[in-house]
Amino acid sequence: MPRLGADRRHEVRFTLNGRPVEGEAEPRMLLTDFLRHVLGRTGTHVGCEHGVCGACTVQIDGAPARACLTLAVQVEGAEIRTVEGLAPAPDRLSVLQESFRAHHGLQCGFCTPGILMSLDELLSRRPDASEDDIRHQLSGHLCRCTGYAPIMKAALDAARRLRGEGETAADA
Amino acid sequence: MELAGQTWVGQSVPRVEDAALLTGRGRFIDDLATRPGTLEAAILRSPHGHAEIRAIDVEKARAARGVVAVLTGRDVQALTSSMVVGVKAPLECWPIATDRVRYVGEPVAIVVATNRYLAEDAMDLIEVEYGALPAVIDPLAALEADAPVIHPSLGRNLASDRSFRYGEPEAAFAAAPHRVEIAVRYPRNSCTPIECYGVVAEYDPGEDSYDVLANFQGPFSIHAVISRALKVPGNRLRLRTPPDSGGSFGVKQGVFPYIVLMAVAARVAGAPVKWIEDRLENLAGAVSATNRATRLAAAVERDGRITALDWDQVEDCGAHLRAPEPATLYRMHGNMTGAYAVRNVLIRNRVVLTNKTPTGLNRGFGGPQVYFALERLVQRIALELGLDPLDVIRANLVPTAAFPYKTATGAILDSGDYLGSMEAALLEGGHAELLRRRDAARAEGRLYGIGYTAVVEPSVSNMGYITAVLQPAERKKAGPKNGAQATATVAVDPVGSVTVHVASVPQGQGHRTVLGQVVADVLGLRPSDIRVATDMDTVKDAWSIASGNYASRFAPAVAGAAHLAATRLRDRIARVAAGQLNVRPEDIVFRGGRIGSASNPENAVPFTRVAAATHWAPGTLPEGLEHAIRETVFWTPPELAAPTEADEVNSSLCHGFIFDYCGVEVDRVTGEVRIDRYVTMHDCGRILHPGMVAGQVTGGFAHALGAALYEEYSYGADGSFQSGTFADYLVPTVMEVPEPILLHRETRSPVTPLGAKGVGEGNCMSTPVCIANAVADAMGLADVTLPLVPAVLASHLHPAETAPKGRPAATAPALSGARQLFGEGTAEVAAPAQTVWDMLLDPQTLQTVIPGAHGVEKVSDTHFKADVTLGVGPVKGRYRAEIHLADLVPPRSVTLSGETSGALGFGSGRGFITLTETEGRTILGYRYEAAIGGKVASVGGRLLDGAARFVIGQFFASLARHAGGQAGESRPGVFARVRRLFGGAP
Ligand code: FES
Ligand code: FES
């Protein structure tokens, strides 16, 4: 890794949701701040800045990661995906997003981007993920609104649909 | 005129809010653009629970890169006045510490800089000299005569003491065959929304006015508090809210002191200032629910019927009495008899101040505290009288025929079928099977118990209830306060499309969706035809002091007001349509996007055409009709009258009913509580959106589960705050929260426009005590305390453990209540003992080997001062240390004692070092004990032991390297350092 001057800004380039992006960051700048305030992609949220709540979860080279525990300069050259990259088109939702809507898997929606990024990674890596797998993946996220039950329903339904086993049906 | 068909209300339509939130296009406060030149603030906060501020030196911070302004309490006081306090007492309430700090996390200084990173850098340069004062944490201890006094102006810690009497309680107690009494404590917790506070403030010196954007949630009565504190009339405080807010549960009411602070900071800095709270600030300093110590006694008949209650509540509001406190204590005043028909009541309410975070709104608001006492008491009555707890509940529930029922303390329970709901819950939730499961588990020797609760959930607060804290005469002087004005505006534009605005300020509750349903039904449109705005602007929108999102007022009051506004607009439009269609207005129906004649369906025109008419051709309107463009409704229920002379208070408009029961098992070895089944029956009146009602119940249940099992604001006896991260303050995850069984009854409220009642807070009232009752039943405990953490329950299961061996006997005057650390170890250094000894006493060497040391100064042979930067977990900071050496036996042993302090915390400790030489090498043995307080204790608690071991290990490793490298030199040679840098062998 190249040496970086603590007080200097450095050019950081990476791929964000399939497109090249670049900006300047001091070495200490967090990836969350870089995404949100340098690049203006505010979909990734900050709930604790100490790695517990999961709201800031993004995918770095395909793996879920806490953007609040990552420095912007660390992702030089990486492939990053954020919640802004999930929908297939601006006016359409992905299967996972659609299930969240159908099952009321969100209320304030502040925890949601991180949860979607974690589940998206799980379901693309393990289409046959079991209820336990999903629960385990979600255990790294805090949601204060939903009580989790609707999130579990949404995730299970999305998994089913992604496996081609039936349509989203709202629970009520 | 025929009413529009009720097609949308009652359906779980998809939420209009979701598409943006699911794709990262939400507009939360920190997502919004600010004006160019907007500065950012960081807040220096107190590391002490109680201390006087002797001096603050901000000069270095002022000179730091990027800094535009630094404000202390004095600067804020110069431009503001104290925030109003809700009791008649000589108390002030400032948003920043002035002469003393009273809780860990209290603001001490504000740094405004070009960005947050630079503001935080500068914050580290502020030097505050504190003089620690004894702290008081426990509310009952705070009442004692010799307790440290937190507000000298008050002269004691008791801020309010009122007694109430209803019916003939003394006679009832004298006549009753039984008196059953309990003493309980309700702990401190907070609902911690995942989004923290945010404020962007700006000051216009030309108009002497403030413009503030904040994720405030209401009540907007606080607007008056803020403008008074800022010394401007209300119309010179423009308060706006962002379109989205990431949860609140009451907590975001508590952002208002920061609105004052940032408004002043913007004024001083001469530019807009933005502040986004971080999680440590939020946990330590935002707002928590009150903790309460309650004694409750009941006069009880042989069949379990309660004839009188005697309450003695001591409410702990923390370090300041912030508006609207002591509202937590009075919100339930009309409901002190819960779901029961008890006619005789005594109440003594005391409010005390302690060295803890100031309290404020939190989901449940007073309900959890009241029901924990009341429903524990009901279980105790059953136990003491040998009755089935269900029979005690049945004997006391308000009878179905009695509604509307006026409680002894003045609430009017509007409607319900408590007994019917309870019996249905037992049947539908599988109570009989649960009893069998319990019996089977117990037969196997397992600890299984069942708990019950019956709860009345009040919603739509009477703005006047808090005045019950005043004596009737004081109330009279202040003028009556009552009601709960809800507002809604419905308007049509020139193409006939419909816009709705309400001052409800949701934080994720889906208000926009529900209002679309409500208004669509009235106007015969689809919800997607209606555009709803729920954000607020106090300059442009219709609002009242009751506006905002609290007290579960949306469905019963706000949605009702929107219904009324839409109905009035519809009636106007109907008159226009009647003229156009040549029928009587009574004959008009709104259906399927068209307005037509009920008797002749062919005779109809599109809604948009008629609705647009007053924009385009006002001249064609029927006589007497000015317009059909916009209707704003202010609705307040007449039932919400001011408290009476006799202190009767109808504290809330409507009252839902909840009956909960659960089966739990306690692990015999670990003390862990597992919830086998949780059944919750709600009667919240008419259900407007079943999916959202379910979401409110499961969400409230999760909050309540956290309060019951995990969450607690934990304080040391010295006031240090010990739960400053989500690793210390344990919020339940998906692994801990079971899915409750949800049941519903619908008894419509006769006092709300749509028949709906609130539903969002009930489980926070019913669930903690329901689980506590079940655990008490499982373990045969008379008293249980929340949270029911395994460590506490295990202490009932196992005999007390003996203290672990090997800890040094306490010698240092440990800081009472702070985090205690102990450790010991050895290290080997390749040098003779005398060399090592010399190094240990040499400031230059120490500076090289102490991890993070910047400067070590020798004051005398036995006194050193050091400046050190250390990181513990997420907090890295600079500390000043004073070290004293004693019992020197050169070159064999020495005792070090010291104190350290810095912005992030303080500590004291003692270490004992021995040196043993063998074959030119020295074995160093060390033992230490230390006590840590302040921010490091709040956030790094669980990391401290490891961090201390690591730092001390580094110290000795470095010492060893140093000794080996210079072979007898007492100063590090340049050559040696260069060689190390390039990886040469030392
Ligand atoms: S913000 Fe990154 S885990 Fe909470
Ligand atoms: S939806 Fe609000 S925190 Fe999860």
Side-chain angles (χ1 to χ4, degrees):
Chain A
M1 191 166 192
R3 283 188 78 91
L4 302 171
D7 293 339
R8 295 221 341 265
R9 291 179 173 216
H10 300 269
E11 192 75 30
V12 183
R13 295 165 212 262
F14 54 88
T15 309
L16 179 61
N17 300 321
R19 295 206 188 155
V21 290
E22 58 178 72
E24 286 197 338
E26 282 181 16
R28 63 175 171 172
M29 179 174 271
L30 301 176
L31 180 56
T32 41
D33 286 339
F34 190 78
L35 287 170
R36 293 176 48 77
H37 300 306
V38 178
L39 300 178
R41 306 299 162 83
T42 54
T44 301
H45 292 159
V46 175
C48 70
E49 254 180 357
H50 53 252
V52 183
C53 77
C56 65
T57 305
V58 299
Q59 293 170 10
I60 302 178
D61 292 330
R66 303 288 208 228
C68 78
L69 298 184
T70 308
L71 298 170
V73 293
Q74 282 176 276
V75 301
E76 171 76 31
E79 293 258 355
I80 310 265
R81 271 185 93 212
T82 63
V83 67
E84 287 98 338
L86 283 182
D91 59 346
R92 276 174 50 211
L93 297 179
S94 71
V95 168
L96 181 62
Q97 290 166 318
E98 195 49 66
S99 324
F100 265 68
R101 177 152 78 172
H103 293 279
H104 303 291
L106 67 160
Q107 286 180 29
C108 77
F110 202 77
C111 67
T112 314
I115 289 180
L116 292 175
M117 295 320 288
S118 268
L119 286 174
D120 174 81
E121 188 272 345
L122 175 71
L123 297 181
S124 53
R125 177 167 51 90
R126 302 260 322 271
D128 59 338
S130 67
E131 181 167 345
D132 270 358
D133 296 332
I134 290 173
R135 199 174 282 280
H136 192 257
Q137 186 90 349
L138 283 173
S139 69
H141 293 272
L142 299 180
C143 173
R144 276 306 225 179
C145 296
T146 62
Y148 303 107
I151 295 179
M152 280 302 295
K153 287 202 184 103
L156 285 166
D157 185 40
R160 257 192 314 273
R161 285 189 63 206
L162 288 165
R163 288 194 300 264
E165 297 168 17
E167 290 300 299
T168 295
D171 55 341
Chain B
M1 191 178 78
E2 190 191 302
L3 277 176
Q6 304 285 334
T7 45
W8 297 106
V9 167
Q11 290 188 41
S12 287
V13 301
R15 302 198 323 165
V16 293
E17 291 85 352
D18 289 352
L21 295 174
L22 286 163
T23 52
R25 284 183 282 115
R27 287 172 296 159
F28 299 90
I29 188 163
D30 193 29
D31 301 343
L32 303 177
T34 51
R35 288 218 300 140
T38 299
L39 305 169
E40 294 191 52
I43 300 175
L44 178 71
R45 292 168 182 271
S46 167
H48 293 277
H50 198 191
E52 54 179 30
I53 297 176
R54 297 207 177 117
I56 307 181
D57 183 353
V58 300
E59 285 319 310
K60 277 191 217 139
R62 275 210 175 108
R65 181 160 75 105
V67 172
V68 176
V70 181
L71 292 83
T72 64
R74 209 159 288 163
D75 304 310
V76 173
Q77 274 184 308
L79 294 170
T80 62
S81 53
S82 161
M83 303 185 291
V84 290
V85 172
V87 298
K88 294 261 172 285
L91 267 179
E92 292 194 329
C93 181
W94 295 95
I96 186 168
T98 54
D99 51 348
R100 65 165 78 188
V101 291
R102 295 179 170 91
Y103 63 97
V104 170
E106 180 158 24
V108 171
I110 306 162
V111 181
V112 181
T114 47
N115 68 51
R116 176 69 174 253
Y117 286 79
L118 294 176
E120 289 191 17
D121 286 348
M123 200 167 81
D124 286 348
L125 302 175
I126 298 177
E127 284 178 26
V128 187
E129 197 187 313
Y130 293 104
L133 295 167
V136 59
I137 294 305
D138 182 86
L140 297 183
L143 287 173
E144 277 164 23
D146 58 349
V149 172
I150 300 173
H151 289 267
S153 62
L154 185 62
R156 55 184 186 172
N157 298 317
L158 179 66
S160 164
D161 185 353
R162 272 222 68 192
S163 294
F164 303 87
R165 183 175 172 279
Y166 304 92
E168 296 295 338
E170 301 82 2
F173 272 99
H178 299 280
R179 178 190 171 92
V180 181
E181 183 169 344
I182 56 165
V184 297
R185 298 289 192 119
Y186 197 83
R188 265 196 172 220
N189 46 48
S190 177
C191 290
T192 67
I194 300 297
E195 182 196 38
C196 294
Y197 293 162
V199 179
V200 185
E202 192 171 349
Y203 176 70
D204 177 352
E207 289 200 71
D208 188 25
S209 67
Y210 295 93
D211 193 329
V212 178
L213 176 75
N215 53 10
F216 178 62
Q217 66 141 41
F220 279 77
S221 51
I222 297 296
H223 182 271
V225 176
I226 304 169
S227 69
R228 248 172 93 170
L230 289 171
K231 302 206 260 196
V232 291
N235 61 8
R236 286 192 163 45
L237 168 64
R238 180 179 196 171
L239 181 55
R240 292 175 297 126
T241 64
D244 292 309
S245 181
S248 176
F249 323 109
V251 172
K252 281 176 178 159
Q253 176 266 340
V255 70
F256 78 92
Y258 297 97
I259 294 178
V260 176
L261 290 182
M262 292 309 136
V264 173
R267 180 171 178 169
V268 171
V273 172
K274 173 176 175 176
W275 169 72
I276 302 291
E277 181 189 51
D278 71 27
R279 182 57 61 185
L280 168 61
E281 295 183 283
N282 176 269
L283 284 167
V287 92
S288 90
T290 63
N291 55 302
R292 191 178 294 177
T294 304
R295 276 186 171 281
L296 176 59
V300 191
E301 296 294 319
R302 287 192 181 79
D303 61 355
R305 213 156 36 80
I306 303 168
T307 54
L309 287 172
D310 182 356
W311 289 90
D312 184 355
Q313 307 189 93
V314 178
E315 178 86 325
D316 179 351
C317 284
H320 296 284
L321 205 57
R322 259 192 209 154
E325 295 289 27
T328 313
L329 188 56
Y330 284 90
R331 191 256 181 127
M332 299 296 292
H333 198 83
N335 303 112
M336 296 306 287
T337 48
Y340 307 126
V342 181
R343 299 312 314 169
N344 307 298
V345 182
L346 279 171
I347 300 172
R348 182 178 185 194
N349 278 344
R350 279 175 287 179
V351 177
V352 302
L353 300 168
T354 61
N355 291 112
K356 303 204 290 268
T357 306
T359 58
L361 272 61
N362 258 279
R363 197 175 202 168
F365 201 52
Q369 294 88 334
V370 163
Y371 286 116
F372 189 74
L374 185 58
E375 295 301 297
R376 288 289 302 128
L377 179 72
V378 167
Q379 192 197 44
R380 185 72 76 77
I381 290 171
L383 212 62
E384 289 192 16
L385 273 62
L387 299 169
D388 183 335
L390 287 172
D391 287 335
V392 179
I393 294 173
R394 284 186 187 108
N396 287 293
L397 284 177
V398 172
T400 307
F403 292 100
Y405 176 87
K406 185 170 177 189
T407 68
T409 51
I412 300 164
L413 305 180
D414 48 318
S415 65
D417 175 11
Y418 296 178
L419 216 51
S421 301
M422 170 178 164
E423 302 300 349
L426 293 172
L427 208 65
E428 295 165 28
H431 181 248
E433 195 218 329
L434 203 62
L435 293 178
R436 284 196 295 276
R437 289 173 75 85
R438 177 194 65 189
D439 295 345
R442 285 185 175 174
E444 289 173 23
R446 283 148 53 197
L447 296 170
Y448 193 106
I450 295 180
Y452 307 93
T453 34
V455 153
V456 164
E457 174 181 4
S459 50
V460 189
S461 284
N462 183 344
M463 296 313 282
Y465 75 73
I466 181 58
T467 59
V469 71
L470 305 176
Q471 302 287 348
E474 295 172 324
R475 243 181 353 243
K476 211 171 203 162
K477 232 171 91 190
K481 305 224 171 19
N482 60 65
Q485 289 280 11
T487 75
T489 299
V490 181
V492 287
D493 61 24
V495 294
S497 61
V498 179
T499 309
V500 179
H501 177 264
V502 297
S504 74
V505 202
Q507 297 85 29
Q509 293 87 349
H511 292 180
R512 293 174 54 219
T513 301
V514 176
L515 292 171
Q517 293 174 277
V518 168
V519 174
D521 275 352
V522 175
L523 300 178
L525 301 171
R526 290 163 305 178
S528 56
D529 297 328
I530 318 284
R531 193 85 203 284
V532 184
T534 49
D535 45 344
M536 264 284 286
D537 178 336
T538 56
V539 167
K540 298 202 292 189
D541 298 329
W543 61 283
S544 84
I545 59 161
S547 294
N549 193 22
Y550 61 95
S552 304
R553 66 197 301 281
F554 172 72
V558 179
H563 175 85
L564 294 175
T567 306
R568 279 195 205 163
L569 188 65
R570 181 202 62 195
D571 292 348
R572 284 173 179 270
I573 296 172
R575 286 174 63 190
V576 181
Q580 289 186 6
L581 298 172
N582 225 355
V583 296
R584 284 175 305 118
E586 297 74 32
D587 190 37
I588 292 288
V589 288
F590 290 67
R591 208 164 23 210
R594 295 173 74 79
I595 305 177
S597 154
S599 46
N600 176 13
E602 298 298 300
N603 189 11
V605 282
F607 173 88
T608 47
R609 237 211 17 241
V610 187
T614 40
H615 281 282
W616 297 101
T620 63
L621 295 184
E623 214 171 287
L625 184 67
E626 281 170 35
H627 72 89
I629 292 181
R630 185 184 185 101
E631 276 290 350
T632 295
V633 161
F634 282 77
W635 177 79
T636 185
E639 291 80 4
L640 293 184
T644 66
E645 287 269 316
D647 285 320
E648 289 171 346
V649 192
N650 189 19
S651 34
S652 300
L653 175 64
C654 37
H655 299 86
F657 176 73
I658 303 175
F659 180 76
D660 283 2
Y661 58 100
C662 68
V664 307
E665 182 169 356
V666 181
D667 188 302
R668 263 199 191 281
V669 178
T670 63
E672 191 185 352
V673 176
R674 183 183 65 83
I675 294 177
D676 185 33
R677 177 182 302 176
Y678 197 101
V679 180
T680 181
M681 158 67 84
H682 285 251
D683 183 347
C684 60
R686 180 160 170 224
I687 291 176
L688 306 182
H689 187 295
M692 286 186 212
V693 166
Q696 286 299 312
V697 174
T698 54
F701 173 73
H703 266 127
L705 184 91
L709 299 182
Y710 309 104
E711 295 175 31
E712 182 171 22
Y713 267 42
S714 128
Y715 288 88
D718 65 337
S720 52
F721 179 63
Q722 298 172 341
S723 41
T725 72
F726 275 149
D728 304 277
Y729 185 81
L730 295 180
V731 168
T733 72
V734 69
M735 304 304 248
E736 288 84 34
V737 185
E739 188 176 352
I741 296 172
L742 271 45
L743 302 171
H744 285 288
R745 276 284 167 287
E746 263 193 51
T747 314
R748 296 195 175 192
S749 173
V751 293
T752 68
L754 294 167
K757 305 179 180 185
V759 70
E761 298 181 88
N763 282 89
C764 287
M765 306 182 185
S766 61
T767 298
V769 63
C770 188
I771 294 174
N773 280 345
V775 168
D777 183 47
M779 300 180 67
L781 297 174
D783 292 304
V784 287
T785 313
L786 303 184
L788 296 155
V789 291
V792 172
L793 295 183
S795 70
H796 294 287
L797 296 167
H798 310 292
E801 288 177 31
T802 49
K805 287 199 194 104
R807 284 190 180 178
T811 45
L815 294 169
S816 62
R819 294 262 188 192
Q820 306 285 335
L821 303 177
F822 304 93
E824 58 188 335
T826 57
E828 196 179 313
V829 179
Q834 186 63 45
T835 310
V836 176
W837 178 265
D838 292 342
M839 287 163 67
L840 279 175
L841 268 50
D842 173 43
Q844 307 286 353
T845 311
L846 288 176
Q847 177 153 342
T848 318
V849 299
I850 293 175
H854 310 289
V856 177
E857 182 196 336
K858 187 169 179 173
V859 182
S860 75
D861 278 353
T862 57
H863 182 189
F864 292 81
K865 284 186 174 182
D867 262 334
V868 192
T869 298
L870 281 180
V872 178
V875 283
K876 187 168 177 188
R878 234 178 137 108
Y879 302 86
R880 283 174 300 283
E882 304 251 356
I883 301 154
H884 292 273
L885 307 180
D887 310 330
L888 286 91
V889 187
R892 292 225 193 84
S893 65
V894 59
T895 301
L896 303 144
S897 59
E899 280 179 7
T900 168
S901 67
L904 296 178
F906 47 87
S908 70
R910 179 173 293 222
F912 183 61
I913 298 183
T914 55
L915 292 79
T916 323
E917 187 177 323
T918 39
E919 296 163 17
R921 303 174 76 79
T922 305
I923 308 282
L924 283 153
Y926 58 90
R927 281 200 321 253
Y928 63 89
E929 54 176 26
I932 310 286
K935 197 182 215 173
V936 274
S938 306
V939 307
R942 56 179 59 209
L943 306 170
L944 273 176
D945 269 309
R949 264 195 300 279
F950 182 73
V951 168
I952 288 164
Q954 267 189 328
F955 172 78
F956 285 109
S958 175
L959 186 74
R961 214 169 35 235
H962 195 76
Q966 284 91 52
E969 281 176 42
S970 62
R971 297 194 45 174
V974 172
F975 179 64
R977 275 201 264 167
V978 171
R979 203 171 48 176
R980 269 210 306 281
L981 203 63
F982 289 96

